[in-house]
Amino acid sequence: MARERKFSTEDLFLATRQLLLIHGYEGFTVSLLADRLEVSRGTIYKYFENKEELITEYMISEMNEYLLKLDHMKKYESFEAQFDFLLNLIFSDTEITKLINIGRQIPANISERVAKNKEKLEALHLHMYDCLQSFIDLGRKEKKIKAQIPDPLILGFILHTITIPNHANIPKKQWIESIKEIIKNGMFTNN
Amino acid sequence: MARERKFSTEDLFLATRQLLLIHGYEGFTVSLLADRLEVSRGTIYKYFENKEELITEYMISEMNEYLLKLDHMKKYESFEAQFDFLLNLIFSDTEITKLINIGRQIPANISERVAKNKEKLEALHLHMYDCLQSFIDLGRKEKKIKAQIPDPLILGFILHTITIPNHANIPKKQWIESIKEIIKNGMFTNN
DNA sequence: ATTTAAAGTGACATTATTGTTACTTTAGAA
DNA sequence: TTCTAAAGTAACAATAATGTCACTTTAAAT
């Protein structure tokens, strides 16, 4: 007994993602979104009271999807295998870090629903760090990681390699291999 | 024969910087700026026709100041000395990269003056890369940098270490020393 | 003291964004 | 076929940001 929707949740979330990457959180407007989906603004407001609800809900879906992939890491037994898996995962979606940061900018005091969504996001974020902490713990146990380097830097360093812009368009494979090499053994020669 | 100004250019640029870091380019408004400087919006418009002119002019001043410091790098003769200098410079102002990226987002088609400012910024940016390229060339000449790692990655890697968030508040000295160690020799042990 | 001109203000018109609502459309159930 | 309810629209009021301008303030020069 219902009319057919003009866009799927997938369409909605894809458009949201694209606009967030182009304009950031503060530049994101419901008009831009409605235009992109070729519906009226009113339609968007049927589903979300404000853009913050939409964005946080989109972010939760994005994080869930990402964590599902990240969870596969524990299937690898050695630290080196997990390291390879992690870097390949990171480079399979280079925009996710930017999106996660945008998600964290959203103020919680907009509405009940936004506050709840932000809590959920925080929990997912913690879960992500749990996964990554086990990875580091394994590296420490196998004595593969230099003892003097603090945990947060290990993680931050690895995760932030995706934000290095490849303006010169170095082929992806060479780019990733070089990054792995630097993380593992540095960029200096050994003499 | 003139009335005293309520704010100096320094005040203006500092407020601009702070607001850009908090709200980003799209979230920056003339009202916010006027409030922070405790003047009316009209006053700001006496000096700049729009926020883009202000932001680009602020960015030019910021870049000039930064390049002045960067130019001291060439006084150091060895690659390793230049490397140390560069990392200390980078970590003396961790927000500059974020600001430079914000500056690059501003559309040039707002007005003549904005377009000209953006050109100037582009030139300054190129000059920065020239300085950094000489640094890399020296490293290659001294055979200190692994041959297989492409130039843009060397630069990107070093510059992006400042964006790694130090949430755990590791003491600055230890943080920087660890970063230098990873860049030079990696985070893996040598066995 | 008067004049001058830069500095600053506050009010106005304009435009953009938000959020709401009465109304229309449409696919399927009765 | 007609009724229903979800889906969508378009118009409205409210708020916020923009850019302009006639006017006021003020410090220094005459």
Side-chain angles (χ1 to χ4, degrees):
Chain A
M1 47 178 144
R3 184 173 165 180
E4 201 182 1
R5 287 197 183 186
K6 292 181 79 179
F7 58 89
S8 64
T9 305
E10 203 182 339
D11 294 337
L12 175 68
F13 282 175
L14 180 61
T16 303
R17 176 194 176 104
Q18 292 170 336
L19 289 174
L20 283 176
L21 287 170
I22 297 172
H23 300 283
Y25 161 57
E26 309 232 26
F28 182 100
T29 70
V30 178
S31 299
L32 281 167
L33 183 66
D35 283 354
R36 187 166 281 238
L37 292 170
E38 293 179 300
V39 294
S40 72
R41 285 187 316 106
T43 304
I44 309 288
Y45 282 105
K46 274 281 154 73
Y47 300 96
F48 302 94
E49 282 190 12
N50 48 59
K51 67 172 182 177
E52 285 78 9
E53 289 186 3
L54 162 65
I55 296 173
T56 47
E57 255 143 82
Y58 155 66
M59 280 306 309
I60 288 172
S61 124
E62 192 77 77
M63 279 292 275
N64 273 322
E65 214 178 301
Y66 202 63
L67 284 173
L68 223 58
K69 291 184 202 159
L70 187 62
D71 265 334
H72 291 309
M73 187 169 66
K74 58 172 176 259
K75 290 194 303 195
Y76 296 85
E77 289 195 357
S78 77
F79 174 69
E80 288 232 34
Q82 288 198 357
F83 176 82
D84 272 346
F85 171 82
L86 182 59
L87 261 103
N88 289 337
L89 174 61
I90 287 172
F91 280 93
S92 71
D93 180 358
T94 53
E95 286 151 340
I96 193 85
T97 340
K98 199 174 171 188
L99 289 165
I100 290 175
N101 284 328
I102 290 171
R104 306 193 105 204
Q105 283 181 44
I106 296 166
N109 63 348
I110 306 277
S111 74
E112 264 304 291
R113 198 168 147 199
V114 173
K116 276 193 182 146
N117 288 344
K118 288 222 51 167
E119 273 177 47
K120 235 183 247 174
L121 268 179
E122 222 35 66
L124 290 170
H125 211 261
L126 276 179
H127 177 43
M128 189 175 87
Y129 269 85
D130 280 349
C131 288
L132 295 172
Q133 191 57 51
S134 333
F135 160 72
I136 291 190
D137 290 346
L138 181 62
R140 299 264 187 224
K141 205 180 113 199
E142 290 186 15
K143 300 214 188 302
K144 281 276 162 58
I145 300 174
K146 286 177 181 163
Q148 71 273 25
I149 302 172
D151 285 2
L153 181 55
I154 299 283
L155 279 184
F157 215 97
I158 294 175
L159 295 179
H160 268 72
T161 52
I162 38 166
T163 67
I164 305 171
N166 183 358
H167 290 314
N169 283 312
I170 312 285
K172 190 162 180 169
K173 209 179 157 183
Q174 192 197 346
W175 187 257
I176 300 179
E177 285 313 311
S178 296
I179 283 181
K180 282 183 187 170
E181 172 60 20
I182 301 178
I183 293 177
K184 288 178 180 174
N185 307 309
M187 55 174 69
F188 280 28
T189 49
N190 303 315
N191 43 19
Chain B
M1 47 178 141
R3 183 173 166 180
E4 200 182 0
R5 288 200 183 184
K6 291 181 78 179
F7 58 89
S8 65
T9 305
E10 203 181 339
D11 294 337
L12 175 67
F13 282 174
L14 180 62
T16 302
R17 176 194 174 105
Q18 292 170 336
L19 289 174
L20 283 176
L21 287 170
I22 297 171
H23 299 283
Y25 162 57
E26 309 233 25
F28 181 101
T29 71
V30 178
S31 299
L32 281 167
L33 183 66
D35 283 355
R36 186 165 282 237
L37 293 170
E38 294 179 300
V39 293
S40 72
R41 284 187 316 105
T43 305
I44 309 288
Y45 282 105
K46 274 279 154 74
Y47 300 97
F48 302 94
E49 282 190 11
N50 49 59
K51 68 172 181 175
E52 286 77 10
E53 288 186 3
L54 162 65
I55 296 173
T56 48
E57 256 143 82
Y58 155 66
M59 280 307 310
I60 288 172
S61 122
E62 191 78 76
M63 279 291 276
N64 273 322
E65 213 178 302
Y66 202 63
L67 284 173
L68 224 58
K69 292 184 201 158
L70 187 62
D71 265 336
H72 291 309
M73 186 168 66
K74 58 171 176 260
K75 291 194 301 195
Y76 296 85
E77 288 195 359
S78 76
F79 175 69
E80 288 232 34
Q82 289 199 358
F83 176 83
D84 271 347
F85 171 83
L86 182 59
L87 262 104
N88 290 336
L89 175 61
I90 287 173
F91 280 93
S92 72
D93 180 357
T94 53
E95 286 152 340
I96 193 84
T97 340
K98 200 175 171 187
L99 289 165
I100 290 175
N101 284 328
I102 289 172
R104 305 192 106 205
Q105 284 182 43
I106 296 166
N109 64 347
I110 305 278
S111 74
E112 265 304 291
R113 196 167 149 201
V114 173
K116 275 191 184 149
N117 287 345
K118 288 222 50 166
E119 272 176 49
K120 235 182 247 173
L121 268 179
E122 221 37 64
L124 290 170
H125 210 261
L126 276 178
H127 177 43
M128 188 175 88
Y129 269 86
D130 280 349
C131 288
L132 296 171
Q133 190 58 50
S134 333
F135 161 71
I136 291 190
D137 291 345
L138 181 61
R140 298 266 187 222
K141 205 181 113 200
E142 290 186 15
K143 300 216 188 299
K144 281 275 161 62
I145 301 174
K146 285 178 184 163
Q148 72 273 25
I149 302 172
D151 285 1
L153 181 54
I154 300 281
L155 279 184
F157 216 97
I158 294 175
L159 296 179
H160 268 72
T161 53
I162 39 165
T163 67
I164 306 171
N166 183 359
H167 290 314
N169 283 312
I170 311 286
K172 190 161 181 171
K173 208 178 159 186
Q174 192 196 347
W175 186 257
I176 300 180
E177 284 313 310
S178 296
I179 283 180
K180 283 185 186 168
E181 171 60 19
I182 300 178
I183 292 177
K184 289 179 179 172
N185 306 309
M187 55 174 69
F188 279 28
T189 49
N190 303 315
N191 43 18

